[in-house]
Structures are given as structure tokens and as C-alpha cells.
Amino acid sequence: MHLPAENMVLNFLVLFASFYVLAKSADFLVDGAVGVAVKARIDKVIIGIVLVGFATTAPEFTVSLMSAIRGFPEIALGNAIGSVIVDDGVALALAILVAPKAITINPGVLKRVGLFLVVIDLFAFGLAVNGIISRLEGFMLLAILAGYLIVMVHSSRKNAGLAPPPEEEIEEHIKPGSLGKQLLLFFIGVAGVIIASEFLVSSSLNIARFFQVPEVIIGLTIIAIGTSLPEIATCITAARKGHGDLAFGDIIGADILNILWIVGAAAAANTIQVGTNVIYFAFPSMIIMVVTMLLLARHKHTLHRWKGFVLIFLYIVYIVSMLRFFYIPGGEMPV
């Protein structure tokens, strides 16, 4: 159905306003996260993996859990897998490209968390191969998440006193105030990013439908990228400000949470029936993207611009392959 022309003007205004609010909120989120890392003497990668990771995956979690509760848990699974692919192929890639210098990766964190990410991806794939992720298996994923968080918190406390104080290096990006004020700044940024993302996706959908863009294209682009906008905005802002390690941590954390938190909660709420296209295309695509991202990060433990182009190219190949093999005339995707 076509929307009235006057609504299009409003949608475009909302679109541009949402981009502005998204950018400013991402500034607050990144500044707050860096401030927390400095005040608490915790590695920015750890802050990105845990604190920022949870915050930026909130939209995926909300969409997926509500879909599962309403009887569409398969949407939750597709959203989680698609978000991992977008996070690695778009958010991190753009962060690498806008960073003022190559992003340096902490070898120890990469070895521990990177291996864990690959293991849980393969584990989730193994659960899905039989065509079902049961409620029991969902609770199992959530239990693994709880263990992972305990280990991360314990590790950060253990190493907190060993980390050199980073104030001098990043002083220009630290807002004055206590740890409480830094957390407040962070959560204001989180709220702004999530709200702006919702309005941006809504206005984009209206505009796309007005111009008769096929539903399959809307699903592959606006919906898939829409729930990952917090990660995209946060990563770009963090990298632009010279905090590429925070951006990398956010992506790793978001990838882990998409599998353990989002798929786990969705399956715990309602058993997921896994379609053959997810088993034989979506899961392998996700694993290929994650492994490629980690191998690029492991190479000299730096992310140079050419590696960003590799990730974007891989994402384009994924989109073209999906359109080539799964597009059905009439704007539907097989389940």
C-alpha cells in the first residue's frame, strides 16, 4: 500500500533526525564506555565485549524474544545469525576503514575469546542440524553464557591492577566525573542509540515500501542491518575516536551474545524449528564470516584497511549468494 506524499516528507525528516540522534548518542555511549574502562582500570576490549556488547545487542534481543513468544522463534534464529554476519561484514569493516590508524588487537583476549566464539558457533550449528533447537538446549546456551560472563568478570578483576593507567593516552575523550557519571553517560548513549535505531528503521521501511522496493530486498538490507545499527554506529564512532579495540570488543561480544543470549532465550521461550536454508546456508555463511574475521585479526594482531575491504567483499558475496539461491519471485524467502 502506498503512503500519502505528506507522510513521505515526515518519514524523510524522521530519517535524517534519527541519523543525527544516532550519531550523537553513539558519541555518548563510546565516551561513557571509555570513561568506565579508565575509572575501573579494565581493558577496553573487555568493556566492549561485556558492557557495550550487551547494550548494542538489546534491539536483536528484544525483536528475537518477542518473535519467539508470539510463536515465530525461527525469525529470532534468522535475526541472530544475520546480525552476526552484519556485525562482522559491515560494522567491523566500516570501523576498520574509518579508524585513523590500524586497529591493534590484544593477542591474549583474541586467543581466549576468539576460540570461544568459534566453539559456540559450531556448537549451535550442531544443535540445529537435526532441525530443532529445543527449550532444554536453549537453557543450555543460557547456562554457557552465565559461565562465560563469570569467567570474563573474574579475568577483568584479576588483571585490573596490572593494566597501565590509560588516562594520558586518551584524555581528550574522557568526560570529567566519577565512575557513576561515566555509567550515566554510557546508558544515556545506549538509550539514544536504541530509540534512534527504531525510528530510523521504521522510516526507512515506509520509504522503501513507498518506492515499491521488493520485500526480500527490504528484509536483506533494512531489517538485517536495522537491528545491527547500534553496533554499526558504536563501532564507527569508537574507531573514529581512536578506540578501535573497543569497537573490536563490541563485535566479539555481540557475536557471542547473538548465539548464547538471543538464540538461547528464544529457544527457551519456544522450541525453534530450523529450516534447511538456515542449516545449509545461513549457519555456514556465519561461520565462514566469523572465522575469516578472526583470522584477519590474528594476522599480525592488527586490522589494516585492506582487511576491512575483505570483510565488506565477503558480505557482498553473502548477499548475492542469498539472492541467487533463495530468492523466490513474489518477494518471499523460504523458511
Side-chain angles (χ1 to χ4, degrees), residues 42-98:
I42 298 174
D43 193 303
K44 283 186 290 178
V45 176
I46 302 298
I47 290 291
I49 290 173
V50 180
L51 190 62
V52 182
F54 264 108
T56 56
T57 52
E60 288 100 322
F61 177 76
T62 302
V63 170
S64 296
L65 184 60
M66 292 307 297
S67 297
I69 291 173
R70 291 171 181 170
F72 303 101
E74 294 77 16
I75 294 177
L77 179 62
N79 182 38
I81 294 175
S83 293
V84 171
I85 295 172
V86 172
D87 287 348
D88 294 1
V90 178
L92 182 59
L94 293 177
I96 296 170
L97 295 179
V98 303

Side-chain angles (χ1 to χ4, degrees), residues 257-281:
L257 291 171
N258 270 302
I259 298 301
L260 296 181
W261 189 35
I262 295 173
V263 176
N270 200 343
T271 296
I272 299 176
Q273 301 289 334
V274 187
T276 54
N277 59 329
V278 174
I279 296 173
Y280 299 111
F281 181 80

